[in-house]
Amino acid sequence: MTTGTTDPFAYHAPTSVREASQALSRYRGDAKLLAGGHSLIPMMKLRIASPQAIIDLRNVEGLRGITENDDGSITIGAMTTYHELVTSDVINSKAPAIAQAASQVADTQVRNWGTIGGSLAHADPAGDLPAVAVALGMEINSASARSSRSISCDRFFRGYLETALRANEVLTGVTVPAQAEGSGSAYVKLANKASHYAIVGVAASVTIDGGGICTEARIGITGAGPHAIRSRRAERILVGKELTESVINRAAQRGGADIAGMFNDDVHASAEYREAMTKVYTARAVSAAVACADA
Amino acid sequence: MTTESLIGQEVKRVEDQALITGRGRYVDDLRLPGLLHLALVRSPYGHAKINRIDVSAAANAPGVVSVFTGADLAEQLGSLPAGWVLIPEQTGGEPMATPEHPPLAVEKVRYVGDAVAAVVADSPAAASDAVALVDVDYEPLPAVVDAEQATMDGAPEIHEGVANNKSFDWTVAAGDYDAAAAAADVVVSERIVNQRLIPNPMETRGIMADYNGGTEQLTIWTSTQIPHLVRLLFALVTGHPEHKVRVVAPDVGGGFGCKLYLYAEEVIVGMIAKQLERPVKWIESRTENYVATTHGRDHIADAEICGTSDGIVTGLKVHVYANLGGYLSTFAPAIPTILFGLMLGGCYKFENLSCTVAGVFTNTTPVDAYRGAGRPEATYVVERMMERYAHEIGRDVLGVRRRNFIRPFRRGHDMPIGVTYDSGNYQGALAAALDKFDYQAFRQEQRDARREGKLLGVGFSTYIEICGMAPSAVAGALGAGAGLWESSTVRVHPTGTVTVFTGTSPHGQGHETSLAQVTASRLGIPMENIEIVHGDTERHQFGTGTFGSRSLAVGGEALMMSLDKVIEKAKEIAAHEMGVDSKQVSFENGTFYVEDIQEREIPWGDVALGAYHAKNLPDGLEPGLEAVSFFDPQNFTWPFGTHIAVIEIDEMTGETKLNRYVAIDDVGNVINPMIVDGMVHGGIAQGVGQALQECAVYSDDGQLLTGSMMDYAVPTAEDLPSFETGRTVTPTTVNTLGAKGAGETGTIAASPAVVNAAVDALKHLGVTHLNMPLSAEKMWRTIEDAKEARRARRSAAARGGN
C-alpha cells in the first residue's frame, strides 16, 4: 500500500537540451523528463513509475513562450504552461481551440504548472492537448544531443502513452501552421467528473472559403481510444460542402469510425457510451469551429 | 433580553484565524524528539489466507527499527470491539454475530486494505520503502462484494461460522403492513439502491503515540471525533488502564462520521509506541484512506408503499441488505437499523410499517456512519416512494404529501413505530419553500422546455431526521455500548475570564464560536474572555463527542446547566457581599444587582475574584467558581424541512445540471445563522454529490476500482448552483436552548430531492425510478431505452390498429 512517497531517484537539472538528451542516453531509457510534473509526480508517488532519474527541464534555455512567426505559424515552447496558453492573445485569436482545451485541463494548480510539451509527450489517452494538436495539424519539434527534427502530429501519437519520440529525444515545442483565411477551431469535451480528463474530447478545425464551402477540415478525438486519433472519415464528409446542420450531423455519425474496435471501456464509461458521445461531441466541436470561422 | 444579545448573531468563526493562516495544529504538525514513523503493509486481496510473512528483508532495510506482524502482536492488540450490539428482541432472538477483528490480520485478510504488518523506521520514506520488502505469502480465496450475493447459499464464508455472512436480521414494525397492503387500492414496489460512498474528509487520519515507561502513561494524539470513547475502547481492548491513557484530538480536519470509531491503527500505533518506548507516528495517505477508513451507505432496499387511489398512504414495507464490509466497525450495526428503521415514518401519518434489515459481511472496506448515517437512507426511501406512489396514482407530488403530513404540533407527537417527535410543522416548511419557488410557473416552464427538446424536472424532499444523539437509556436499551449524554465544565477564573471544557469534539463545526456565544450571552461577558477547550481526555471531564448533530442540542445544554450552576453560586456570593438574600439578586449583562436598589450592583469580575479571594464568603460556601454538568436529554430532536431541486438533463448526452436548489430547514432555535448556513451548504453539496456523481465501485474480486480522487468524484463548486436557503423556527422542547441540530440536514434532504427531480424530468418517457449516482452515461442509457420502448409501443399499437 502506497504511503505517498516515491522510490529513490537521482535528480538532474541540465541547462541545455543537449545536456538533457545526454542524460537521457546515460540512463538508457530509465530516466524521465520533468516538465510541469503533474502527470509524472503522482505516478511516482503511487510508485506506478519509478524511474532511476529525473531530468528537470526548468533550467533549460529557450523552451518557454509563444511566438508568432512571419509566415503566420505559431511556435510554442514545450515548457509553456496551460495558464500561459489560456491567457495568450495570439493563441486566443489565431488558434482558440488550444486555449479552450488548456482552460479545461484539471484545475488552476495544474494549469499553472502543467505544460503543453508535458501533455503531448506523456500522451495520456484522455489528455486534452493531443486532440488539439491533431486538429490543428501541429508539428511536434524534438531534439537530441546531435540533431533535431519535426514530427507531424498525424504520426506522433502511436499508442497508449506512446509517442514517436526516441529515447534520447527532448520535445522542445510545437509549431502550429498558419491558419488560412476563413478558418476556425474549437475544442469541446465531456469531462470525467472526478479527474476532469476527457471521457470524450473533440477538437475541430475548419476552413471555409468565400462561397461558404469547407475547403479543409481536421478533427482530433481524445479520451475515446488508446490515444488521440484523427477522424478522417468524418473530415471527408465535410470537405467540399457547405457546413449545414445536416452535413455536420452526417459527418458526426462517422466521428468515431476511425476508432472502431478501439473504444476505451472502463469504470468511467462503457465503449458504447464513448462511441455515442464521440458522435455528439464531434457535431458540437465542428459546429463551434464553424461559428468561430464565421466570427 | 440583552443577555441573549449574541444568540442568533452571525458572529465570525473565532477558530478560522488560526486555521486559514496555517496555524492550525493537526496530528501531522506534531513533532516529538526521537520520533519514529510507522507504515502499514496492507492486503492487496479482497479475501485471502495468510500462509507466511517474511519480514527479514524489511527488517534489514536502511532506517528500519522494527517490523511487526499480526502474530507478533496478537496478544497485545486484542480484538476491536462492536460498540453497538443489537438486542436479540429485534434480531429474531438470534444474537448478533460479532466476529473477532484483530487490528493486524493474523490468519486471513478480508478486504483490500486490511493491515497485516507494521514497519517502524526513522523516516516516513524509509518505512514506506520497507513496506514493499515485506513478503506476504497469500493464498487468494473467492471473494464477494455485494451484500445480497453474500447472503446466498454457496457464497464465500468470510467469518468462520457466520452463516450466509449475516451478522444480523433486524426487524421493526408498527401496525399491520400486510393487512394494509391487502386492503390498499395501490401497491407500488421498487428496488432502491443507496450506493457506497467514501467520506473524504480534508484531513486523512493520523495518529501519534508516546509512552513514558517510568509513569506508564501512554498519550495518543489522533484525528478523531470521540477522544474519550477512543480512550475507553483502547483501554478495554488492550488492557492498558484507562487512567494511564491520554487521548488528544488536536485540530481535526473534518470527519463526516468516519473518525467516530476505535480504529485498528490507534491500537497498533499506541501499543507499538509502548513496546518500543519511543514516540511513533502514522499518517494515512489519501490512497490508504480510500481503503482503510470506513465507507458509508451501501444499502439495497426493496421497498413497497401502499395506499388509496386518491392519495392516502397506508403503509410502507422495506427489506434492506446492508453491507457491513469485512468486519464490524464500532457503530456499524446501528446505522442501517436504529437510525434507519425508526425514521421510516417520515413526516407522514401512515400507521403500518414493516422493516427488516440484513446486516451482511462482504470483502470490502468496513461500512459505518457517513454524514446523516442511516437517516439519508431512510429519507431517500420514504421521499422516493412518496413520489413514486403519487406518479402511480396520477396525482401531484405536493398534493399527496399535504394529504399525508402530520399536523403541526409543538409538544410531542407519538409515532406508531414507538418514537416521539419533539415538535414539527411540515406544512410550514413546505409553504416557506414554495414562497421561494413558484411551482405553477415551473410546471409551465417545464412544458415549454419540453416542446423545445429540453428536459427539466423538479424534485421535492419534505424530510425529517433524528438529531441530538441521546438519550442514553433509549440508546442503551437498543444496544448502544456507550452512553450518549454530553458534559461540560465551566471554570471561572479569578479575573472573571472563563474556560469552558466541553465533551463535544468539533472537527470543523465551529463550536469554539457557538459555545462561546452561548456562554457570553449567559454571563454577559465579551467572547474574547472565553476559551472553549475540547478534545483532550486529560484536560476535561468525560465527554461523548461530536456526531449525529448532537453538539449543541446535547453539549450546548450541558453547558447551559454548568452556566446556571456557576451563576447560582455567584449570586450567593454577591448576595452576601450586598447583605441581601440571594433570591433577591438578579444577574444581567454581567452585573449582579438587587431590583429597586440602585446603588447595590456588583460586576461579574468582582464576584469571580471574591470567590477565589474567599475573605468574605457566606458560611459553608466552598471557595472557587466552577461547575461540572452531564446532560442526558429525555428524547432525540427531530429537525425537518423542505428541499427543492430543479435539474436539467441534456437529452443527447445524459449530462445533468442542477439549475436551482431551494432549502428550507427547521433546526429549531439558531445560535449562529452563518454557521448553520455553512453546514447546510456543505451538507447539500454532499447530498447532491451522492445523487449525481459519487460512487465507490468494487470489482467482483474485491479491488476498489475508484481508489483515488481521479476516479471518485467528490463534488466541487463548479458542480453546484448557488443555494437558496432559509429557515422556519419550531423550537424543540428537549433542551432549553430550543436547538435541534443542523449538521446533517443538507445531506439527508438533498439526494431524494435531486433524484426526484431527474425522474420528474423523464416521467413523460415512462421512467419511474433511477438509481444513484445519476451519471451522464446512466441518464443517456435511460433516455435511449425509454425512447426505444416508446418506439416499440407505438409500432405495436400501429400494428394492433391494422
Side-chain angles (χ1 to χ4, degrees), chain B residues 79-131:
Chain B
S79 173
L80 296 177
W84 196 304
V85 180
L86 298 168
I87 55 173
E89 289 82 346
Q90 293 184 325
T91 55
E94 291 287 315
M96 193 184 107
T98 56
E100 293 279 297
H101 184 180
L104 280 176
V106 182
E107 287 165 3
K108 253 174 66 160
V109 288
R110 294 180 172 86
Y111 65 96
V112 168
D114 206 353
V116 297
V119 177
V120 184
D122 292 339
S123 70
S128 196
D129 288 346
V131 161

Side-chain angles (χ1 to χ4, degrees), chain A residues 1-8 46-47 189-197 266-273 276-277 280-281 284, chain B residues 39-40 42 113 124-125 128-129 131 285 287-288 291 650 652-653 655 693 697 705-706 709-713 718-719 776-777 780-781:
Chain A
M1 183 63 49
T2 169
T3 53
T5 60
T6 68
D7 279 317
L46 292 168
R47 302 197 178 198
K189 79 166 162 180
L190 174 64
N192 178 317
K193 285 274 190 187
S195 64
H196 290 201
Y197 271 110
D266 54 38
V267 67
H268 303 300
S270 68
E272 187 192 354
Y273 184 60
M277 290 310 104
V280 175
Y281 274 83
R284 290 179 182 184
Chain B
L40 289 156
R42 295 185 184 277
S128 196
D129 288 346
V131 161
S285 72
T287 310
E288 278 184 293
V291 295
D650 184 329
M652 301 292 287
T653 65
E655 289 166 278
Q693 59 192 60
V697 182
L705 299 178
T706 51
M709 284 185 176
M710 295 288 278
D711 305 300
Y712 183 90
E718 70 169 6
D719 301 309
E777 176 164 4
W780 170 78
R781 201 172 287 279

Side-chain angles (χ1 to χ4, degrees), chain B residues 15-29:
Chain B
E15 48 273 80
D16 284 349
Q17 178 71 20
L19 296 178
I20 65 181
T21 55
R23 294 181 179 92
R25 286 198 171 187
Y26 300 90
V27 173
D28 203 19
D29 296 316

Side-chain angles (χ1 to χ4, degrees), chain B residues 15-200:
Chain B
E15 48 273 80
D16 284 349
Q17 178 71 20
L19 296 178
I20 65 181
T21 55
R23 294 181 179 92
R25 286 198 171 187
Y26 300 90
V27 173
D28 203 19
D29 296 316
L30 308 176
R31 298 278 184 279
L32 285 172
L35 183 63
L36 297 174
H37 300 268
L38 184 144
L40 289 156
V41 180
R42 295 185 184 277
S43 170
Y45 293 101
H47 197 194
K49 194 164 167 280
I50 301 169
N51 284 333
R52 193 180 48 83
I53 302 178
D54 181 355
V55 303
S56 53
N60 292 320
V64 170
V65 172
S66 212
V67 184
F68 300 90
T69 66
D72 295 337
L73 294 177
E75 196 73 4
Q76 293 95 313
L77 299 184
S79 173
L80 296 177
W84 196 304
V85 180
L86 298 168
I87 55 173
E89 289 82 346
Q90 293 184 325
T91 55
E94 291 287 315
M96 193 184 107
T98 56
E100 293 279 297
H101 184 180
L104 280 176
V106 182
E107 287 165 3
K108 253 174 66 160
V109 288
R110 294 180 172 86
Y111 65 96
V112 168
D114 206 353
V116 297
V119 177
V120 184
D122 292 339
S123 70
S128 196
D129 288 346
V131 161
L133 301 174
V134 174
D135 183 12
V136 186
D137 178 13
Y138 294 103
E139 184 181 323
L141 298 169
V144 61
V145 300
D146 177 89
E148 185 181 20
Q149 285 169 19
T151 63
M152 290 176 181
D153 290 337
E157 182 183 65
I158 296 169
H159 290 280
E160 206 173 309
V162 178
N164 298 99
N165 295 310
K166 276 193 200 175
S167 173
F168 54 82
D169 270 311
W170 184 83
T171 318
V172 73
D176 184 343
Y177 176 81
D178 290 337
D185 300 331
V186 182
V187 178
V188 193
S189 60
E190 198 69 72
R191 171 163 279 210
I192 294 179
V193 179
N194 206 302
Q195 81 272 32
R196 180 180 284 248
L197 302 172
I198 298 174
N200 276 300

